Amino acid sequence: SQQGEEDPQALSIQEGENATMNCSYKTSINNLQWYRQNSGRGLVHLILIRSNEREKHSGRLRVTLDTSKKSSSLLITASRAADTASYFCATTKGIGNSGGSNYKLTFGKGTLLTVNP
Amino acid sequence: EAQVTQNPRYLITVTGKKLTVTCSQNMNHEYMSWYRQDPGLGLRQIYYSMNVEVTDKGDVPEGYKVSRKEKRNFPLILESPSPNQTSLYFCASSRGLAGPYRAPDTQYFGPGTRLTVL
């Protein structure tokens, strides 16, 4: 089952507006990452936020993490047509056992953002 | 230039004909993964590797094999491809963050391999 689920599935806004995408997950995590994908291309990392952090910024991007609600949001301010892409959250979860370490990285299905000029 | 490369980028093959998709990274990353992306299903992890000779199944490992004999390479092998393996495949690599579980840091993705199995 999906660990991270983005909401909404699709979002259409006008240039200059802010875009907010949400990600919910089910179990405790080590960190949560947001990625962007232009159609058919490889994913590009945007921001990583660790479980002990609540907010991070990078340029026009702002990510928040609420571990009590098991949710994260990605805010893109003053959107541009070039921001049109799919956005994915990915959660990493430790699956530790004695004598070793392991992890699970799970992507959501993504939010398709369209920014109209 | 730091990058993840995949080859081939496009492949059309027939059912049952063994194929290998190569993946190589030049960043000395510990972690490497393979994903497939299908419409409506997002990215699903096929296999991952935490280091040389250490691999483990992801969410959809059936029909795939991997090996990690060298740190930089992580090939994906389809021994007997079937049409349901038609998909867009991505390789990714990352270093590990400090901490008890060495959770993966930023994933660097390759450009993708579009595979069609007839």
Side-chain angles (χ1 to χ4, degrees):
Chain A
S1 63
Q2 296 292 123
Q3 165 74 320
E5 292 283 353
E6 293 90 346
D7 170 59
Q9 290 186 335
L11 179 61
S12 181
I13 60 174
Q14 296 299 122
E15 235 178 358
E17 294 179 340
N18 295 341
T20 300
M21 288 159 271
N22 302 297
C23 172
S24 59
Y25 56 92
K26 296 175 183 173
T27 62
S28 61
I29 59 173
N30 294 88
N31 65 61
L32 186 144
Q33 305 176 33
W34 284 93
Y35 290 82
R36 165 197 168 120
Q37 183 185 34
N38 288 86
S39 181
R41 310 284 293 273
L43 278 72
V44 175
H45 179 260
L46 296 175
I47 289 183
L48 180 152
I49 186 165
R50 303 187 190 206
S51 59
N52 61 354
E53 297 175 316
R54 292 295 167 260
E55 187 170 314
K56 287 188 87 167
H57 297 256
S58 177
R60 293 183 296 114
L61 306 180
R62 173 177 164 247
V63 167
T64 61
L65 179 65
D66 187 334
T67 52
S68 66
K69 294 182 179 176
K70 293 187 171 58
S71 68
S72 173
S73 67
L74 170 67
L75 169 67
I76 304 174
T77 59
S79 63
R80 306 165 182 167
D83 294 328
T84 295
S86 292
Y87 292 82
F88 295 86
C89 69
T91 54
T92 61
K93 174 186 168 185
I95 310 175
N97 50 38
S98 59
S101 64
N102 207 338
Y103 79 91
K104 184 76 175 161
L105 176 65
T106 307
F107 282 82
K109 296 180 182 179
T111 292
L112 176 60
L113 173 65
T114 303
V115 181
N116 301 300
Chain B
E1 179 190 354
Q3 60 182 351
V4 178
T5 56
Q6 294 178 230
N7 282 292
R9 295 288 313 281
Y10 302 90
L11 179 60
I12 300 174
T13 189
V14 295
T15 299
K17 186 176 180 182
K18 181 178 178 180
L19 66 92
T20 299
V21 184
T22 64
C23 173
S24 183
Q25 51 92 6
N26 61 1
M27 295 168 279
N28 201 36
H29 283 165
E30 300 167 295
Y31 296 114
M32 297 187 76
S33 306
W34 275 103
Y35 298 88
R36 61 177 290 175
Q37 186 175 30
D38 303 287
L41 297 177
L43 269 81
R44 293 179 292 168
Q45 192 178 58
I46 303 171
Y47 269 95
Y48 64 96
S49 169
M50 291 183 292
N51 217 322
V52 175
E53 302 291 1
V54 181
T55 63
D56 209 344
K57 296 177 181 178
D59 295 315
V60 288
E62 293 77 21
Y64 305 94
K65 283 175 58 177
V66 292
S67 68
R68 188 91 181 273
K69 296 189 172 80
E70 306 164 283
K71 200 170 187 179
R72 65 182 293 129
N73 296 322
F74 191 45
L76 179 70
I77 303 157
L78 284 72
E79 294 271 2
S80 183
S82 61
N84 64 14
Q85 292 178 298
T86 292
S87 187
L88 179 58
Y89 291 86
F90 290 102
C91 179
S93 73
S94 72
R95 64 188 177 101
L97 290 166
Y101 292 119
R102 299 283 294 165
D105 200 348
T106 300
Q107 298 288 303
Y108 290 81
F109 280 82
T113 295
R114 191 168 290 280
L115 172 66
T116 302
V117 183
L118 302 174

PDB file of all heavy atoms in Angstrom, chain B residues 74-98:
ATOM      1  N   PHE B  74      24.298  -0.833 -11.087  1.00  0.00           N
ATOM      2  CA  PHE B  74      23.153  -1.554 -10.517  1.00  0.00           C
ATOM      3  C   PHE B  74      22.232  -1.952 -11.668  1.00  0.00           C
ATOM      4  O   PHE B  74      21.201  -1.332 -11.920  1.00  0.00           O
ATOM      5  CB  PHE B  74      22.427  -0.649  -9.517  1.00  0.00           C
ATOM      6  CG  PHE B  74      21.394  -1.342  -8.677  1.00  0.00           C
ATOM      7  CD1 PHE B  74      21.641  -2.572  -8.086  1.00  0.00           C
ATOM      8  CD2 PHE B  74      20.157  -0.740  -8.432  1.00  0.00           C
ATOM      9  CE1 PHE B  74      20.699  -3.194  -7.290  1.00  0.00           C
ATOM     10  CE2 PHE B  74      19.210  -1.351  -7.627  1.00  0.00           C
ATOM     11  CZ  PHE B  74      19.478  -2.578  -7.059  1.00  0.00           C
ATOM     12  N   PRO B  75      22.577  -2.996 -12.407  1.00  0.00           N
ATOM     13  CA  PRO B  75      21.761  -3.387 -13.559  1.00  0.00           C
ATOM     14  C   PRO B  75      20.453  -4.041 -13.163  1.00  0.00           C
ATOM     15  O   PRO B  75      20.370  -4.736 -12.150  1.00  0.00           O
ATOM     16  CB  PRO B  75      22.674  -4.370 -14.308  1.00  0.00           C
ATOM     17  CG  PRO B  75      23.575  -4.925 -13.248  1.00  0.00           C
ATOM     18  CD  PRO B  75      23.793  -3.818 -12.259  1.00  0.00           C
ATOM     19  N   LEU B  76      19.450  -3.833 -13.987  1.00  0.00           N
ATOM     20  CA  LEU B  76      18.136  -4.452 -13.820  1.00  0.00           C
ATOM     21  C   LEU B  76      17.972  -5.492 -14.917  1.00  0.00           C
ATOM     22  O   LEU B  76      18.125  -5.171 -16.089  1.00  0.00           O
ATOM     23  CB  LEU B  76      17.025  -3.402 -13.927  1.00  0.00           C
ATOM     24  CG  LEU B  76      15.594  -3.913 -13.794  1.00  0.00           C
ATOM     25  CD1 LEU B  76      15.305  -4.355 -12.367  1.00  0.00           C
ATOM     26  CD2 LEU B  76      14.598  -2.818 -14.218  1.00  0.00           C
ATOM     27  N   ILE B  77      17.663  -6.704 -14.513  1.00  0.00           N
ATOM     28  CA  ILE B  77      17.584  -7.819 -15.454  1.00  0.00           C
ATOM     29  C   ILE B  77      16.155  -8.336 -15.516  1.00  0.00           C
ATOM     30  O   ILE B  77      15.540  -8.597 -14.483  1.00  0.00           O
ATOM     31  CB  ILE B  77      18.537  -8.962 -15.018  1.00  0.00           C
ATOM     32  CG1 ILE B  77      19.967  -8.432 -14.914  1.00  0.00           C
ATOM     33  CG2 ILE B  77      18.456 -10.133 -15.996  1.00  0.00           C
ATOM     34  CD1 ILE B  77      20.843  -9.248 -14.009  1.00  0.00           C
ATOM     35  N   LEU B  78      15.663  -8.468 -16.732  1.00  0.00           N
ATOM     36  CA  LEU B  78      14.368  -9.114 -16.951  1.00  0.00           C
ATOM     37  C   LEU B  78      14.663 -10.418 -17.675  1.00  0.00           C
ATOM     38  O   LEU B  78      15.000 -10.417 -18.856  1.00  0.00           O
ATOM     39  CB  LEU B  78      13.444  -8.219 -17.775  1.00  0.00           C
ATOM     40  CG  LEU B  78      12.797  -7.040 -17.063  1.00  0.00           C
ATOM     41  CD1 LEU B  78      13.814  -5.945 -16.776  1.00  0.00           C
ATOM     42  CD2 LEU B  78      11.637  -6.491 -17.870  1.00  0.00           C
ATOM     43  N   GLU B  79      14.571 -11.514 -16.954  1.00  0.00           N
ATOM     44  CA  GLU B  79      14.952 -12.817 -17.513  1.00  0.00           C
ATOM     45  C   GLU B  79      13.989 -13.252 -18.630  1.00  0.00           C
ATOM     46  O   GLU B  79      14.410 -13.777 -19.646  1.00  0.00           O
ATOM     47  CB  GLU B  79      14.953 -13.887 -16.412  1.00  0.00           C
ATOM     48  CG  GLU B  79      16.010 -13.696 -15.351  1.00  0.00           C
ATOM     49  CD  GLU B  79      17.329 -14.382 -15.709  1.00  0.00           C
ATOM     50  OE1 GLU B  79      17.425 -14.976 -16.800  1.00  0.00           O
ATOM     51  OE2 GLU B  79      18.267 -14.312 -14.898  1.00  0.00           O
ATOM     52  N   SER B  80      12.710 -13.020 -18.416  1.00  0.00           N
ATOM     53  CA  SER B  80      11.703 -13.414 -19.404  1.00  0.00           C
ATOM     54  C   SER B  80      10.616 -12.346 -19.421  1.00  0.00           C
ATOM     55  O   SER B  80       9.559 -12.522 -18.810  1.00  0.00           O
ATOM     56  CB  SER B  80      11.123 -14.790 -19.054  1.00  0.00           C
ATOM     57  OG  SER B  80      10.199 -15.208 -20.037  1.00  0.00           O
ATOM     58  N   PRO B  81      10.870 -11.248 -20.118  1.00  0.00           N
ATOM     59  CA  PRO B  81       9.933 -10.127 -20.081  1.00  0.00           C
ATOM     60  C   PRO B  81       8.537 -10.499 -20.567  1.00  0.00           C
ATOM     61  O   PRO B  81       8.377 -11.341 -21.472  1.00  0.00           O
ATOM     62  CB  PRO B  81      10.576  -9.107 -21.030  1.00  0.00           C
ATOM     63  CG  PRO B  81      11.999  -9.508 -21.124  1.00  0.00           C
ATOM     64  CD  PRO B  81      12.028 -11.000 -20.960  1.00  0.00           C
ATOM     65  N   SER B  82       7.556  -9.857 -19.968  1.00  0.00           N
ATOM     66  CA  SER B  82       6.167 -10.051 -20.377  1.00  0.00           C
ATOM     67  C   SER B  82       5.543  -8.683 -20.636  1.00  0.00           C
ATOM     68  O   SER B  82       6.063  -7.660 -20.169  1.00  0.00           O
ATOM     69  CB  SER B  82       5.388 -10.805 -19.302  1.00  0.00           C
ATOM     70  OG  SER B  82       5.384 -10.056 -18.109  1.00  0.00           O
ATOM     71  N   PRO B  83       4.435  -8.646 -21.373  1.00  0.00           N
ATOM     72  CA  PRO B  83       3.818  -7.350 -21.710  1.00  0.00           C
ATOM     73  C   PRO B  83       3.476  -6.500 -20.487  1.00  0.00           C
ATOM     74  O   PRO B  83       3.491  -5.263 -20.577  1.00  0.00           O
ATOM     75  CB  PRO B  83       2.567  -7.765 -22.493  1.00  0.00           C
ATOM     76  CG  PRO B  83       2.968  -9.051 -23.152  1.00  0.00           C
ATOM     77  CD  PRO B  83       3.814  -9.763 -22.124  1.00  0.00           C
ATOM     78  N   ASN B  84       3.185  -7.126 -19.346  1.00  0.00           N
ATOM     79  CA  ASN B  84       2.844  -6.312 -18.172  1.00  0.00           C
ATOM     80  C   ASN B  84       4.066  -5.623 -17.562  1.00  0.00           C
ATOM     81  O   ASN B  84       3.944  -4.878 -16.570  1.00  0.00           O
ATOM     82  CB  ASN B  84       2.096  -7.132 -17.110  1.00  0.00           C
ATOM     83  CG  ASN B  84       2.928  -8.250 -16.526  1.00  0.00           C
ATOM     84  OD1 ASN B  84       4.147  -8.307 -16.699  1.00  0.00           O
ATOM     85  ND2 ASN B  84       2.276  -9.156 -15.807  1.00  0.00           N
ATOM     86  N   GLN B  85       5.228  -5.858 -18.133  1.00  0.00           N
ATOM     87  CA  GLN B  85       6.426  -5.141 -17.704  1.00  0.00           C
ATOM     88  C   GLN B  85       6.724  -3.939 -18.615  1.00  0.00           C
ATOM     89  O   GLN B  85       7.737  -3.259 -18.432  1.00  0.00           O
ATOM     90  CB  GLN B  85       7.626  -6.082 -17.652  1.00  0.00           C
ATOM     91  CG  GLN B  85       7.480  -7.119 -16.533  1.00  0.00           C
ATOM     92  CD  GLN B  85       8.634  -8.104 -16.484  1.00  0.00           C
ATOM     93  OE1 GLN B  85       8.871  -8.849 -17.444  1.00  0.00           O
ATOM     94  NE2 GLN B  85       9.359  -8.104 -15.377  1.00  0.00           N
ATOM     95  N   THR B  86       5.828  -3.698 -19.549  1.00  0.00           N
ATOM     96  CA  THR B  86       5.918  -2.475 -20.339  1.00  0.00           C
ATOM     97  C   THR B  86       5.721  -1.299 -19.393  1.00  0.00           C
ATOM     98  O   THR B  86       4.709  -1.202 -18.704  1.00  0.00           O
ATOM     99  CB  THR B  86       4.838  -2.466 -21.434  1.00  0.00           C
ATOM    100  OG1 THR B  86       5.146  -3.486 -22.392  1.00  0.00           O
ATOM    101  CG2 THR B  86       4.766  -1.109 -22.127  1.00  0.00           C
ATOM    102  N   SER B  87       6.695  -0.409 -19.350  1.00  0.00           N
ATOM    103  CA  SER B  87       6.656   0.661 -18.368  1.00  0.00           C
ATOM    104  C   SER B  87       7.806   1.627 -18.600  1.00  0.00           C
ATOM    105  O   SER B  87       8.661   1.411 -19.467  1.00  0.00           O
ATOM    106  CB  SER B  87       6.763   0.063 -16.949  1.00  0.00           C
ATOM    107  OG  SER B  87       6.571   1.051 -15.954  1.00  0.00           O
ATOM    108  N   LEU B  88       7.823   2.691 -17.798  1.00  0.00           N
ATOM    109  CA  LEU B  88       8.933   3.631 -17.771  1.00  0.00           C
ATOM    110  C   LEU B  88       9.747   3.324 -16.508  1.00  0.00           C
ATOM    111  O   LEU B  88       9.199   3.349 -15.399  1.00  0.00           O
ATOM    112  CB  LEU B  88       8.409   5.062 -17.742  1.00  0.00           C
ATOM    113  CG  LEU B  88       9.423   6.204 -17.686  1.00  0.00           C
ATOM    114  CD1 LEU B  88      10.383   6.141 -18.870  1.00  0.00           C
ATOM    115  CD2 LEU B  88       8.692   7.548 -17.668  1.00  0.00           C
ATOM    116  N   TYR B  89      11.016   3.021 -16.688  1.00  0.00           N
ATOM    117  CA  TYR B  89      11.865   2.594 -15.583  1.00  0.00           C
ATOM    118  C   TYR B  89      12.878   3.680 -15.226  1.00  0.00           C
ATOM    119  O   TYR B  89      13.503   4.283 -16.101  1.00  0.00           O
ATOM    120  CB  TYR B  89      12.619   1.312 -15.956  1.00  0.00           C
ATOM    121  CG  TYR B  89      11.715   0.114 -16.068  1.00  0.00           C
ATOM    122  CD1 TYR B  89      11.046  -0.169 -17.258  1.00  0.00           C
ATOM    123  CD2 TYR B  89      11.509  -0.729 -14.981  1.00  0.00           C
ATOM    124  CE1 TYR B  89      10.199  -1.261 -17.349  1.00  0.00           C
ATOM    125  CE2 TYR B  89      10.673  -1.825 -15.072  1.00  0.00           C
ATOM    126  CZ  TYR B  89      10.020  -2.082 -16.260  1.00  0.00           C
ATOM    127  OH  TYR B  89       9.175  -3.162 -16.349  1.00  0.00           O
ATOM    128  N   PHE B  90      13.024   3.888 -13.930  1.00  0.00           N
ATOM    129  CA  PHE B  90      13.997   4.847 -13.441  1.00  0.00           C
ATOM    130  C   PHE B  90      14.948   4.187 -12.448  1.00  0.00           C
ATOM    131  O   PHE B  90      14.534   3.437 -11.575  1.00  0.00           O
ATOM    132  CB  PHE B  90      13.314   6.015 -12.727  1.00  0.00           C
ATOM    133  CG  PHE B  90      12.557   6.928 -13.643  1.00  0.00           C
ATOM    134  CD1 PHE B  90      11.188   6.853 -13.741  1.00  0.00           C
ATOM    135  CD2 PHE B  90      13.238   7.866 -14.390  1.00  0.00           C
ATOM    136  CE1 PHE B  90      10.483   7.696 -14.584  1.00  0.00           C
ATOM    137  CE2 PHE B  90      12.553   8.724 -15.234  1.00  0.00           C
ATOM    138  CZ  PHE B  90      11.170   8.637 -15.334  1.00  0.00           C
ATOM    139  N   CYS B  91      16.206   4.532 -12.605  1.00  0.00           N
ATOM    140  CA  CYS B  91      17.220   4.175 -11.625  1.00  0.00           C
ATOM    141  C   CYS B  91      17.507   5.420 -10.799  1.00  0.00           C
ATOM    142  O   CYS B  91      17.440   6.546 -11.314  1.00  0.00           O
ATOM    143  CB  CYS B  91      18.485   3.706 -12.348  1.00  0.00           C
ATOM    144  SG  CYS B  91      19.841   3.247 -11.270  1.00  0.00           S
ATOM    145  N   ALA B  92      17.822   5.238  -9.532  1.00  0.00           N
ATOM    146  CA  ALA B  92      18.139   6.368  -8.665  1.00  0.00           C
ATOM    147  C   ALA B  92      19.245   5.972  -7.702  1.00  0.00           C
ATOM    148  O   ALA B  92      19.404   4.794  -7.365  1.00  0.00           O
ATOM    149  CB  ALA B  92      16.900   6.824  -7.894  1.00  0.00           C
ATOM    150  N   SER B  93      19.994   6.963  -7.254  1.00  0.00           N
ATOM    151  CA  SER B  93      21.044   6.691  -6.269  1.00  0.00           C
ATOM    152  C   SER B  93      21.042   7.793  -5.221  1.00  0.00           C
ATOM    153  O   SER B  93      20.561   8.907  -5.460  1.00  0.00           O
ATOM    154  CB  SER B  93      22.420   6.594  -6.935  1.00  0.00           C
ATOM    155  OG  SER B  93      22.890   7.868  -7.343  1.00  0.00           O
ATOM    156  N   SER B  94      21.567   7.483  -4.062  1.00  0.00           N
ATOM    157  CA  SER B  94      21.684   8.483  -3.007  1.00  0.00           C
ATOM    158  C   SER B  94      22.726   8.036  -1.996  1.00  0.00           C
ATOM    159  O   SER B  94      23.080   6.860  -1.910  1.00  0.00           O
ATOM    160  CB  SER B  94      20.340   8.697  -2.304  1.00  0.00           C
ATOM    161  OG  SER B  94      20.008   7.593  -1.486  1.00  0.00           O
ATOM    162  N   ARG B  95      23.212   8.990  -1.234  1.00  0.00           N
ATOM    163  CA  ARG B  95      24.048   8.651  -0.096  1.00  0.00           C
ATOM    164  C   ARG B  95      23.126   8.407   1.087  1.00  0.00           C
ATOM    165  O   ARG B  95      21.914   8.648   1.005  1.00  0.00           O
ATOM    166  CB  ARG B  95      25.025   9.774   0.200  1.00  0.00           C
ATOM    167  CG  ARG B  95      24.390  11.069   0.609  1.00  0.00           C
ATOM    168  CD  ARG B  95      25.391  12.197   0.693  1.00  0.00           C
ATOM    169  NE  ARG B  95      24.722  13.438   1.029  1.00  0.00           N
ATOM    170  CZ  ARG B  95      24.702  13.977   2.243  1.00  0.00           C
ATOM    171  NH1 ARG B  95      25.359  13.391   3.231  1.00  0.00           N
ATOM    172  NH2 ARG B  95      24.049  15.104   2.478  1.00  0.00           N
ATOM    173  N   GLY B  96      23.689   7.962   2.185  1.00  0.00           N
ATOM    174  CA  GLY B  96      22.892   7.725   3.377  1.00  0.00           C
ATOM    175  C   GLY B  96      23.084   8.843   4.369  1.00  0.00           C
ATOM    176  O   GLY B  96      24.181   9.379   4.542  1.00  0.00           O
ATOM    177  N   LEU B  97      21.996   9.230   5.004  1.00  0.00           N
ATOM    178  CA  LEU B  97      22.067  10.233   6.056  1.00  0.00           C
ATOM    179  C   LEU B  97      22.632   9.599   7.317  1.00  0.00           C
ATOM    180  O   LEU B  97      22.502   8.401   7.529  1.00  0.00           O
ATOM    181  CB  LEU B  97      20.674  10.787   6.350  1.00  0.00           C
ATOM    182  CG  LEU B  97      20.054  11.671   5.281  1.00  0.00           C
ATOM    183  CD1 LEU B  97      18.584  11.848   5.563  1.00  0.00           C
ATOM    184  CD2 LEU B  97      20.757  12.985   5.188  1.00  0.00           C
ATOM    185  N   ALA B  98      23.223  10.405   8.152  1.00  0.00           N
ATOM    186  CA  ALA B  98      23.701   9.911   9.445  1.00  0.00           C
ATOM    187  C   ALA B  98      22.497   9.522  10.295  1.00  0.00           C
ATOM    188  O   ALA B  98      21.421  10.079  10.155  1.00  0.00           O
ATOM    189  CB  ALA B  98      24.514  10.990  10.139  1.00  0.00           C
TER     190      ALA B  98
END
